Amino acid sequence: SSSKLKKKATKTQEAKKILKKKFKVNTKIVFTEDGELVQQWPPVQKSSLAKADEEDDVSGINLDKVKEILREEDKFDKEEYRKKIKEKHR
């Protein structure tokens, strides 16, 4: 009877199963009725460096390159934040 007992799967084991199956989790995409993209979470990176980095098939993480990408993404994020604040004040 002891061999018939099943162990309860932990959250980490379930998360690893999902990662192995390559599911896209924690994403949200909103479309209009016309099929236009309205909102996507997490936001897509807009910088040209990020797009170039995706094309490179290099193993590991290049910290200098990642810092540059984040600085460029910050510029876009700051601009969106300014627009959001301007709309709020109107």
Side-chain angles (χ1 to χ4, degrees):
S1 65
S2 63
S3 63
K4 292 182 181 179
L5 294 175
K6 290 186 179 179
K7 290 184 180 180
K8 184 178 178 186
T10 63
K11 289 183 180 180
T12 53
Q13 289 171 338
E14 291 174 3
K16 286 181 182 180
K17 280 184 187 178
I18 290 172
L19 287 174
K20 284 182 184 177
K21 293 181 181 180
K22 307 256 183 199
F23 285 135
K24 294 250 183 180
V25 293
N26 298 332
T27 58
K28 180 180 179 181
I29 300 175
V30 180
F31 293 97
T32 61
E33 292 181 15
D34 300 332
E36 298 288 325
L37 179 67
V38 175
Q39 183 182 8
Q40 183 173 1
W41 185 257
V44 177
Q45 291 183 331
K46 299 175 185 174
S47 67
S48 58
L49 288 175
K51 292 175 186 170
D53 187 45
E54 288 176 1
E55 294 172 1
D56 295 340
D57 292 332
V58 180
S59 63
I61 300 172
N62 186 351
L63 292 178
D64 295 328
K65 195 176 230 183
V66 172
K67 283 181 186 178
E68 283 297 318
I69 291 171
L70 289 176
R71 282 191 197 116
E72 251 189 66
E73 289 296 320
D74 261 354
K75 292 175 187 175
F76 291 111
D77 292 340
K78 286 178 185 178
E79 186 64 34
E80 285 184 30
Y81 181 73
R82 283 188 205 119
K83 289 178 184 177
K84 186 177 178 181
I85 296 297
K86 284 181 182 180
E87 289 295 318
K88 186 177 179 181
H89 288 280
R90 286 185 183 165

XYZ file of all heavy atoms in Angstrom:
743
model
N 0.816 -1.196 0.000
C 0.000 0.000 0.000
C 0.861 1.261 0.000
O 0.439 2.299 -0.455
C -0.948 -0.001 1.204
O -0.207 0.066 2.406
N 2.072 1.171 0.544
C 2.937 2.351 0.597
C 3.425 2.743 -0.795
O 3.700 3.905 -1.049
C 4.116 2.106 1.528
O 4.908 1.035 1.018
N 3.550 1.774 -1.697
C 4.005 2.092 -3.050
C 2.907 2.787 -3.853
O 3.179 3.455 -4.837
C 4.461 0.835 -3.768
O 3.368 -0.053 -3.919
N 1.657 2.618 -3.432
C 0.542 3.227 -4.141
C 0.366 4.706 -3.792
O -0.310 5.429 -4.511
C -0.757 2.482 -3.845
C -0.793 1.094 -4.416
C -2.098 0.417 -4.132
C -2.106 -1.002 -4.694
N -3.369 -1.682 -4.388
N 0.963 5.130 -2.670
C 0.838 6.532 -2.272
C 1.604 7.414 -3.244
O 2.752 7.132 -3.583
C 1.381 6.741 -0.856
C 0.616 6.067 0.272
C 1.362 6.282 1.590
C -0.781 6.645 0.372
N 0.957 8.458 -3.705
C 1.596 9.404 -4.625
C 2.028 10.623 -3.834
O 1.306 11.106 -2.971
C 0.635 9.829 -5.728
C 0.330 8.752 -6.711
C -0.502 9.303 -7.844
C -0.795 8.238 -8.863
N -1.613 8.748 -9.965
N 3.199 11.126 -4.173
C 3.673 12.348 -3.536
C 2.991 13.532 -4.190
O 2.787 13.560 -5.407
C 5.183 12.482 -3.682
C 5.960 11.487 -2.872
C 7.439 11.758 -2.998
C 8.234 10.765 -2.197
N 9.670 11.017 -2.315
N 2.677 14.515 -3.386
C 2.062 15.729 -3.907
C 3.134 16.570 -4.596
O 4.226 16.767 -4.055
C 1.429 16.518 -2.757
C 0.690 17.738 -3.195
C 0.058 18.449 -2.028
C -0.634 19.711 -2.506
N -1.130 20.485 -1.387
N 2.840 17.027 -5.789
C 3.790 17.849 -6.547
C 3.883 19.235 -5.922
O 2.873 19.865 -5.617
C 3.351 17.961 -7.998
N 5.108 19.694 -5.717
C 5.301 21.020 -5.144
C 5.173 22.071 -6.226
O 5.150 21.766 -7.426
C 6.692 21.135 -4.481
O 7.686 20.959 -5.501
C 6.872 20.099 -3.394
N 5.103 23.325 -5.807
C 4.974 24.424 -6.769
C 6.199 24.505 -7.675
O 6.083 24.794 -8.863
C 4.781 25.744 -6.035
C 3.424 25.877 -5.386
C 3.267 27.230 -4.735
C 1.896 27.352 -4.090
N 1.726 28.658 -3.450
N 7.374 24.257 -7.116
C 8.580 24.323 -7.938
C 8.600 23.204 -8.974
O 9.018 23.421 -10.114
C 9.851 24.244 -7.075
O 9.772 23.087 -6.237
C 10.009 25.471 -6.217
N 8.128 22.016 -8.588
C 8.074 20.919 -9.550
C 7.096 21.224 -10.679
O 7.378 20.961 -11.847
C 7.659 19.622 -8.852
C 8.735 19.055 -7.944
C 8.231 17.891 -7.111
O 7.028 17.762 -6.903
N 9.152 17.070 -6.628
N 5.964 21.827 -10.330
C 4.984 22.190 -11.357
C 5.539 23.271 -12.272
O 5.329 23.248 -13.486
C 3.691 22.649 -10.701
C 2.939 21.530 -10.016
C 1.733 22.008 -9.235
O 1.440 23.228 -9.262
O 1.082 21.174 -8.614
N 6.260 24.239 -11.693
C 6.851 25.309 -12.498
C 7.894 24.747 -13.458
O 7.975 25.163 -14.619
C 7.472 26.363 -11.590
N 8.678 23.793 -12.992
C 9.687 23.179 -13.860
C 9.042 22.412 -15.008
O 9.542 22.431 -16.132
C 10.588 22.254 -13.049
C 11.579 23.005 -12.179
C 12.463 22.066 -11.409
C 13.408 22.832 -10.513
N 14.290 21.930 -9.758
N 7.920 21.752 -14.746
C 7.203 21.045 -15.808
C 6.753 22.024 -16.882
O 6.867 21.769 -18.083
C 5.975 20.327 -15.238
C 6.271 19.028 -14.560
C 4.963 18.386 -14.126
C 5.179 17.164 -13.292
N 3.905 16.571 -12.840
N 6.215 23.161 -16.442
C 5.739 24.174 -17.382
C 6.898 24.722 -18.210
O 6.784 24.910 -19.424
C 5.001 25.303 -16.637
C 3.677 24.765 -16.089
C 4.762 26.497 -17.533
C 2.949 25.722 -15.188
N 8.035 24.975 -17.555
C 9.195 25.491 -18.274
C 9.706 24.487 -19.301
O 10.124 24.863 -20.396
C 10.311 25.856 -17.294
C 10.085 27.115 -16.468
C 11.204 27.276 -15.449
C 10.018 28.338 -17.362
N 9.672 23.203 -18.962
C 10.133 22.179 -19.905
C 9.240 22.103 -21.138
O 9.710 21.825 -22.233
C 10.160 20.811 -19.222
C 11.327 20.617 -18.294
C 11.304 19.229 -17.694
C 12.414 19.053 -16.692
N 12.352 17.720 -16.053
N 7.957 22.367 -20.956
C 7.016 22.304 -22.070
C 7.010 23.579 -22.893
O 6.302 23.691 -23.879
C 5.609 22.007 -21.550
C 5.505 20.616 -20.967
C 4.122 20.324 -20.483
C 4.053 18.935 -19.883
N 2.716 18.601 -19.398
N 7.794 24.578 -22.470
C 7.957 25.850 -23.195
C 6.640 26.607 -23.361
O 6.383 27.208 -24.397
C 8.581 25.619 -24.564
C 9.857 24.837 -24.549
C 11.040 25.698 -24.737
C 12.259 24.788 -24.778
N 13.454 25.413 -24.529
N 5.791 26.580 -22.334
C 4.559 27.360 -22.365
C 4.885 28.824 -22.118
O 5.817 29.151 -21.395
C 3.584 26.914 -21.264
C 2.896 25.620 -21.542
C 2.777 24.661 -20.556
C 2.346 25.354 -22.775
C 2.137 23.473 -20.794
C 1.702 24.170 -23.029
C 1.605 23.218 -22.032
N 4.117 29.705 -22.718
C 4.233 31.133 -22.439
C 3.273 31.446 -21.298
O 2.061 31.412 -21.476
C 3.853 31.954 -23.671
C 4.809 31.779 -24.805
C 5.581 33.020 -24.995
C 6.498 32.838 -26.192
N 7.281 33.984 -26.436
N 3.808 31.746 -20.132
C 2.975 32.027 -18.968
C 3.126 33.492 -18.573
O 4.098 34.153 -18.928
C 3.330 31.120 -17.770
C 2.986 29.678 -18.070
C 4.791 31.241 -17.416
N 2.162 33.988 -17.833
C 2.160 35.361 -17.331
C 2.220 36.383 -18.463
O 2.939 37.374 -18.382
C 3.304 35.601 -16.345
C 3.190 34.736 -15.128
O 2.098 34.345 -14.736
N 4.307 34.424 -14.511
N 1.501 36.138 -19.526
C 1.429 37.102 -20.619
C -0.026 37.467 -20.852
O -0.928 36.667 -20.629
C 2.004 36.527 -21.924
O 1.293 35.348 -22.258
C 3.477 36.220 -21.787
N -0.224 38.693 -21.267
C -1.572 39.172 -21.553
C -1.514 40.048 -22.796
O -0.716 40.982 -22.866
C -2.109 39.983 -20.375
C -3.499 40.522 -20.590
C -3.973 41.304 -19.387
C -5.357 41.854 -19.616
N -5.819 42.640 -18.483
N -2.358 39.745 -23.772
C -2.417 40.520 -25.000
C -3.871 40.917 -25.222
O -4.759 40.074 -25.166
C -1.905 39.705 -26.202
C -0.453 39.287 -25.965
C -2.022 40.506 -27.479
C 0.092 38.378 -27.029
N -4.099 42.225 -25.458
C -5.458 42.734 -25.659
C -5.550 43.285 -27.081
O -4.692 44.048 -27.516
C -5.777 43.849 -24.640
C -7.175 44.382 -24.850
C -5.620 43.330 -23.222
N -6.607 42.884 -27.802
C -6.841 43.337 -29.166
C -8.144 44.114 -29.232
O -9.045 43.922 -28.422
C -6.946 42.140 -30.118
C -5.670 41.368 -30.279
C -5.443 40.226 -29.543
C -4.706 41.799 -31.169
C -4.275 39.504 -29.698
C -3.534 41.079 -31.336
C -3.318 39.933 -30.589
N -8.256 44.993 -30.245
C -9.522 45.665 -30.514
C -10.377 44.723 -31.343
O -9.937 43.640 -31.726
C -9.308 46.977 -31.292
O -8.698 46.664 -32.536
C -8.448 47.954 -30.515
N -11.599 45.146 -31.660
C -12.475 44.307 -32.473
C -11.967 44.180 -33.904
O -12.307 43.240 -34.616
C -13.890 44.869 -32.447
C -14.543 44.746 -31.093
C -15.963 45.277 -31.092
O -16.530 45.480 -32.174
O -16.490 45.469 -29.990
N -11.147 45.158 -34.331
C -10.582 45.113 -35.677
C -9.362 44.204 -35.754
O -8.851 43.944 -36.837
C -10.170 46.520 -36.128
C -11.357 47.456 -36.154
O -12.483 46.959 -36.357
O -11.161 48.678 -35.981
N -8.868 43.751 -34.624
C -7.693 42.893 -34.598
C -6.399 43.647 -34.374
O -5.318 43.087 -34.507
N -6.491 44.930 -34.030
C -5.301 45.732 -33.756
C -4.810 45.435 -32.345
O -5.601 45.275 -31.417
C -5.619 47.223 -33.880
C -6.066 47.657 -35.246
C -4.945 47.657 -36.255
O -3.802 47.964 -35.888
O -5.227 47.308 -37.416
N -3.499 45.402 -32.170
C -2.903 45.168 -30.860
C -3.042 46.421 -30.008
O -2.605 47.505 -30.411
C -1.428 44.798 -31.008
C -0.660 44.536 -29.727
C -1.203 43.271 -29.054
C 0.802 44.388 -30.012
N -3.671 46.314 -28.840
C -3.863 47.454 -27.958
C -2.833 47.438 -26.842
O -2.186 48.436 -26.560
C -5.283 47.439 -27.331
C -5.436 48.553 -26.326
C -6.330 47.539 -28.402
N -2.683 46.277 -26.226
C -1.825 46.204 -25.051
C -1.183 44.832 -24.989
O -1.799 43.835 -25.347
C -2.672 46.427 -23.801
C -1.897 46.443 -22.515
C -2.825 46.630 -21.317
O -4.029 46.588 -21.462
N -2.263 46.831 -20.177
N 0.051 44.791 -24.539
C 0.735 43.519 -24.373
C 1.526 43.560 -23.080
O 2.177 44.550 -22.773
C 1.677 43.265 -25.547
C 2.367 41.925 -25.453
C 3.151 41.619 -26.706
O 3.187 42.411 -27.632
N 3.781 40.491 -26.726
N 1.426 42.491 -22.299
C 2.178 42.415 -21.056
C 2.909 41.096 -21.011
O 2.303 40.078 -21.241
C 1.262 42.540 -19.839
C 2.066 42.571 -18.596
C 2.237 41.554 -17.714
C 2.859 43.642 -18.112
N 3.065 41.925 -16.723
C 3.473 43.207 -16.937
C 3.129 44.917 -18.579
C 4.334 44.019 -16.204
C 3.974 45.720 -17.856
C 4.553 45.270 -16.681
N 4.143 41.051 -20.753
C 5.086 42.140 -20.559
C 5.359 42.869 -21.876
O 5.276 42.261 -22.933
C 6.343 41.450 -20.054
C 6.223 40.043 -20.475
C 4.768 39.748 -20.580
N 5.659 44.160 -21.797
C 5.852 44.935 -23.021
C 7.001 44.401 -23.871
O 7.982 43.887 -23.351
C 6.191 46.343 -22.510
C 5.815 46.363 -21.086
C 5.815 44.955 -20.601
N 6.867 44.539 -25.167
C 7.901 44.109 -26.096
C 9.013 45.145 -26.076
O 8.758 46.347 -26.025
C 7.322 43.988 -27.520
C 8.395 43.616 -28.518
C 6.190 42.998 -27.537
N 10.255 44.673 -26.132
C 11.371 45.613 -26.147
C 11.398 46.337 -27.481
O 11.237 45.739 -28.534
C 12.685 44.880 -25.922
C 12.814 44.342 -24.514
C 14.154 43.686 -24.280
O 14.761 43.162 -25.198
N 14.600 43.724 -23.054
N 11.600 47.660 -27.412
C 11.523 48.487 -28.610
C 12.883 48.856 -29.180
O 12.974 49.316 -30.300
C 10.766 49.781 -28.272
C 9.362 49.534 -27.806
C 8.710 50.815 -27.369
C 7.333 50.537 -26.787
N 6.739 51.742 -26.223
N 13.943 48.700 -28.403
C 15.246 49.169 -28.854
C 15.798 48.282 -29.960
O 15.514 47.095 -30.058
C 16.236 49.194 -27.685
O 16.501 47.885 -27.251
N 16.614 48.902 -30.793
C 17.207 48.168 -31.911
C 18.273 47.195 -31.408
O 18.503 46.153 -32.019
C 17.816 49.147 -32.904
O 18.796 49.942 -32.263
N 18.917 47.526 -30.293
C 19.925 46.629 -29.736
C 19.294 45.328 -29.246
O 19.873 44.257 -29.382
C 20.656 47.303 -28.560
C 21.630 48.421 -28.897
C 22.175 49.048 -27.627
C 22.766 47.884 -29.732
N 18.099 45.420 -28.678
C 17.419 44.219 -28.186
C 17.074 43.293 -29.342
O 17.202 42.070 -29.234
C 16.170 44.592 -27.409
N 16.635 43.873 -30.451
C 16.289 43.065 -31.612
C 17.543 42.395 -32.187
O 17.502 41.237 -32.594
C 15.614 43.928 -32.671
C 14.245 44.414 -32.240
C 13.650 45.357 -33.231
C 12.339 45.929 -32.695
N 11.843 47.018 -33.493
N 18.654 43.124 -32.200
C 19.898 42.560 -32.709
C 20.408 41.467 -31.779
O 20.987 40.475 -32.224
C 20.944 43.657 -32.859
N 20.177 41.635 -30.479
C 20.636 40.652 -29.501
C 19.859 39.348 -29.624
O 20.413 38.275 -29.419
C 20.498 41.215 -28.085
C 21.109 40.304 -27.038
O 22.240 39.820 -27.287
O 20.480 40.079 -25.985
N 18.582 39.420 -29.968
C 17.770 38.216 -30.127
C 18.264 37.381 -31.294
O 18.182 36.163 -31.277
C 16.303 38.586 -30.350
C 15.612 39.113 -29.117
C 14.185 39.548 -29.414
O 13.743 39.424 -30.576
O 13.530 40.023 -28.486
N 18.803 38.030 -32.309
C 19.265 37.324 -33.501
C 20.586 36.604 -33.247
O 20.864 35.592 -33.882
C 19.419 38.308 -34.662
C 18.101 38.903 -35.107
C 18.275 40.019 -36.110
O 19.434 40.327 -36.476
O 17.262 40.580 -36.517
N 21.408 37.119 -32.326
C 22.684 36.486 -32.025
C 22.456 35.227 -31.195
O 21.760 35.250 -30.196
C 23.603 37.435 -31.248
C 24.001 38.646 -32.060
O 23.895 38.587 -33.301
O 24.416 39.658 -31.457
N 23.058 34.126 -31.629
C 22.937 32.872 -30.891
C 24.218 32.620 -30.107
O 24.994 31.712 -30.407
C 22.668 31.711 -31.856
C 21.305 31.811 -32.488
O 20.417 32.396 -31.833
O 21.121 31.311 -33.603
N 24.444 33.429 -29.086
C 25.625 33.298 -28.259
C 25.184 32.795 -26.897
O 24.230 33.287 -26.318
C 26.345 34.664 -28.116
C 27.576 34.525 -27.252
C 26.700 35.216 -29.477
N 25.879 31.818 -26.393
C 25.516 31.294 -25.076
C 26.023 32.241 -23.995
O 27.038 32.901 -24.146
C 26.115 29.909 -24.877
O 27.523 29.995 -24.906
N 25.277 32.328 -22.897
C 25.663 33.189 -21.792
C 25.056 34.570 -21.914
O 24.349 34.893 -22.862
N 25.356 35.392 -20.923
C 24.818 36.744 -20.871
C 25.975 37.735 -20.942
O 26.906 37.662 -20.148
C 24.018 36.969 -19.574
C 22.856 35.984 -19.503
C 23.539 38.394 -19.474
C 22.138 35.994 -18.180
N 25.906 38.655 -21.863
C 26.897 39.708 -21.980
C 26.375 40.911 -21.200
O 25.449 41.597 -21.637
C 27.121 40.055 -23.454
C 28.238 41.044 -23.629
O 28.751 41.606 -22.663
N 28.628 41.260 -24.876
N 26.960 41.167 -20.028
C 26.446 42.206 -19.139
C 26.532 43.600 -19.741
O 25.627 44.409 -19.569
C 27.182 42.171 -17.800
C 26.909 40.936 -16.938
C 27.736 40.994 -15.674
C 25.450 40.823 -16.607
N 27.601 43.886 -20.454
C 27.748 45.217 -21.051
C 26.645 45.464 -22.081
O 26.055 46.542 -22.130
C 29.124 45.371 -21.705
C 30.243 45.303 -20.677
O 30.011 45.733 -19.525
O 31.344 44.825 -21.034
N 26.361 44.451 -22.884
C 25.338 44.577 -23.908
C 23.958 44.747 -23.271
O 23.147 45.545 -23.721
C 25.362 43.347 -24.807
C 24.627 43.493 -26.091
C 24.794 42.246 -26.930
C 25.217 42.600 -28.322
N 25.314 41.426 -29.193
N 23.713 43.990 -22.194
C 22.428 44.062 -21.504
C 22.237 45.438 -20.876
O 21.141 46.007 -20.911
C 22.320 42.942 -20.447
C 21.092 43.123 -19.584
C 22.306 41.585 -21.109
N 23.292 46.008 -20.301
C 23.198 47.349 -19.714
C 22.817 48.377 -20.768
O 21.999 49.259 -20.529
C 24.530 47.736 -19.065
C 24.772 47.073 -17.738
C 26.093 47.519 -17.148
C 26.409 46.759 -15.886
N 27.710 47.131 -15.312
N 23.431 48.274 -21.947
C 23.111 49.199 -23.033
C 21.649 49.055 -23.465
O 20.957 50.038 -23.695
C 24.036 48.954 -24.232
C 25.417 49.520 -24.060
C 25.407 51.035 -23.939
O 24.664 51.709 -24.685
O 26.144 51.551 -23.086
N 21.187 47.815 -23.559
C 19.799 47.570 -23.947
C 18.855 48.184 -22.922
O 17.871 48.843 -23.273
C 19.537 46.057 -24.102
C 20.291 45.520 -25.315
C 18.050 45.773 -24.225
C 20.286 44.012 -25.441
N 19.152 48.000 -21.642
C 18.292 48.548 -20.589
C 18.293 50.069 -20.597
O 17.262 50.697 -20.341
C 18.714 48.012 -19.228
C 18.402 46.539 -18.983
C 18.949 46.099 -17.632
C 16.918 46.283 -19.046
N 19.434 50.677 -20.878
C 19.482 52.150 -20.966
C 18.595 52.641 -22.102
O 17.876 53.634 -21.961
C 20.919 52.614 -21.188
C 21.737 52.595 -19.934
C 23.065 53.313 -20.128
N 23.967 52.938 -19.054
C 25.110 52.278 -19.210
N 25.525 51.951 -20.419
N 25.853 51.964 -18.176
N 18.650 51.949 -23.237
C 17.814 52.337 -24.370
C 16.333 52.141 -24.056
O 15.499 52.975 -24.394
C 18.190 51.521 -25.611
C 18.895 52.349 -26.648
C 19.072 51.587 -27.936
O 18.065 51.270 -28.589
O 20.227 51.320 -28.274
N 16.002 51.030 -23.404
C 14.614 50.762 -23.024
C 14.121 51.807 -22.028
O 12.951 52.171 -22.038
C 14.475 49.363 -22.421
C 14.628 48.252 -23.418
C 13.556 48.260 -24.476
O 12.382 48.514 -24.158
O 13.899 48.023 -25.644
N 15.008 52.279 -21.155
C 14.644 53.321 -20.193
C 14.167 54.578 -20.899
O 13.241 55.243 -20.447
C 15.835 53.670 -19.298
C 15.764 52.976 -17.962
O 14.743 52.318 -17.687
O 16.725 53.109 -17.178
N 14.801 54.921 -22.004
C 14.402 56.112 -22.758
C 12.957 55.989 -23.230
O 12.171 56.926 -23.111
C 15.333 56.320 -23.956
C 16.748 56.695 -23.559
C 17.650 56.769 -24.752
C 19.101 56.970 -24.342
N 20.006 56.935 -25.493
N 12.610 54.818 -23.761
C 11.237 54.597 -24.218
C 10.262 54.624 -23.039
O 9.177 55.195 -23.139
C 11.113 53.257 -24.947
C 11.829 53.219 -26.263
C 12.955 52.436 -26.438
C 11.376 53.978 -27.335
C 13.610 52.395 -27.651
C 12.017 53.943 -28.550
C 13.151 53.151 -28.714
N 10.661 54.001 -21.934
C 9.785 53.951 -20.761
C 9.539 55.341 -20.178
O 8.420 55.671 -19.780
C 10.369 53.046 -19.682
C 10.377 51.584 -20.096
O 9.617 51.232 -21.019
O 11.137 50.805 -19.485
N 10.584 56.163 -20.141
C 10.441 57.520 -19.617
C 9.507 58.347 -20.499
O 8.697 59.125 -20.003
C 11.808 58.195 -19.512
C 12.641 57.673 -18.362
C 14.005 58.329 -18.331
C 14.872 57.714 -17.250
N 16.222 58.301 -17.230
N 9.621 58.170 -21.812
C 8.762 58.904 -22.736
C 7.300 58.499 -22.551
O 6.409 59.351 -22.512
C 9.198 58.637 -24.183
C 8.467 59.459 -25.203
C 8.718 60.942 -25.065
O 9.836 61.328 -24.690
O 7.766 61.715 -25.313
N 7.044 57.191 -22.400
C 5.678 56.722 -22.167
C 5.140 57.244 -20.843
O 3.971 57.613 -20.730
C 5.625 55.201 -22.183
C 5.719 54.619 -23.555
C 5.568 53.116 -23.548
O 4.864 52.589 -22.658
O 6.146 52.472 -24.433
N 5.996 57.304 -19.832
C 5.586 57.810 -18.521
C 5.212 59.290 -18.613
O 4.218 59.731 -18.037
C 6.702 57.586 -17.503
C 6.360 58.050 -16.114
C 5.454 57.331 -15.338
C 6.930 59.199 -15.584
C 5.142 57.748 -14.063
C 6.615 59.621 -14.314
C 5.725 58.899 -13.550
O 5.401 59.315 -12.289
N 6.012 60.066 -19.358
C 5.703 61.490 -19.541
C 4.347 61.673 -20.216
O 3.547 62.519 -19.822
C 6.785 62.162 -20.383
C 8.051 62.444 -19.635
C 8.996 63.297 -20.477
N 10.349 63.071 -20.045
C 11.327 62.588 -20.792
N 11.106 62.300 -22.069
N 12.526 62.403 -20.314
N 4.085 60.875 -21.246
C 2.795 60.956 -21.940
C 1.653 60.609 -21.000
O 0.604 61.260 -21.010
C 2.774 60.011 -23.135
C 3.642 60.447 -24.275
C 3.604 59.447 -25.402
C 4.544 59.833 -26.525
N 4.557 58.819 -27.592
N 1.856 59.603 -20.179
C 0.826 59.177 -19.227
C 0.534 60.277 -18.221
O -0.629 60.563 -17.924
C 1.318 57.917 -18.508
C 0.322 57.279 -17.597
C 0.907 56.000 -17.018
C -0.020 55.339 -16.061
N 0.548 54.121 -15.469
N 1.550 60.945 -17.711
C 1.373 62.033 -16.744
C 0.687 63.224 -17.402
O -0.209 63.846 -16.810
C 2.720 62.449 -16.124
C 3.312 61.289 -15.307
C 2.590 63.698 -15.274
C 2.465 60.881 -14.126
N 1.074 63.549 -18.648
C 0.430 64.672 -19.357
C -1.052 64.415 -19.549
O -1.885 65.304 -19.395
C 1.111 64.908 -20.715
C 2.441 65.601 -20.585
C 3.063 65.838 -21.951
C 4.415 66.479 -21.824
N 5.037 66.709 -23.133
N -1.418 63.177 -19.908
C -2.821 62.821 -20.064
C -3.574 62.919 -18.729
O -4.721 63.336 -18.689
C -2.962 61.412 -20.636
C -2.570 61.299 -22.080
C -3.497 62.106 -22.978
O -4.714 62.081 -22.764
O -2.965 62.765 -23.896
N -2.894 62.567 -17.684
C -3.514 62.598 -16.346
C -3.800 64.035 -15.916
O -4.826 64.326 -15.300
C -2.585 61.925 -15.343
C -3.156 61.764 -13.968
C -2.195 61.021 -13.070
C -2.739 60.877 -11.685
N -1.792 60.171 -10.799
N -2.911 64.969 -16.279
C -3.084 66.366 -15.876
C -4.108 67.094 -16.731
O -4.569 68.168 -16.340
C -1.742 67.090 -15.923
C -0.816 66.679 -14.822
N -0.932 67.174 -13.539
C 0.206 65.796 -14.768
C -0.011 66.637 -12.779
N 0.713 65.785 -13.507
N -4.459 66.567 -17.869
C -5.426 67.232 -18.737
C -6.820 67.044 -18.258
O -7.263 66.330 -17.505
C -5.324 66.692 -20.161
C -4.082 67.211 -20.821
C -4.055 66.779 -22.270
N -2.809 67.246 -22.834
C -2.325 66.820 -23.970
N -2.935 65.903 -24.654
N -1.193 67.296 -24.423
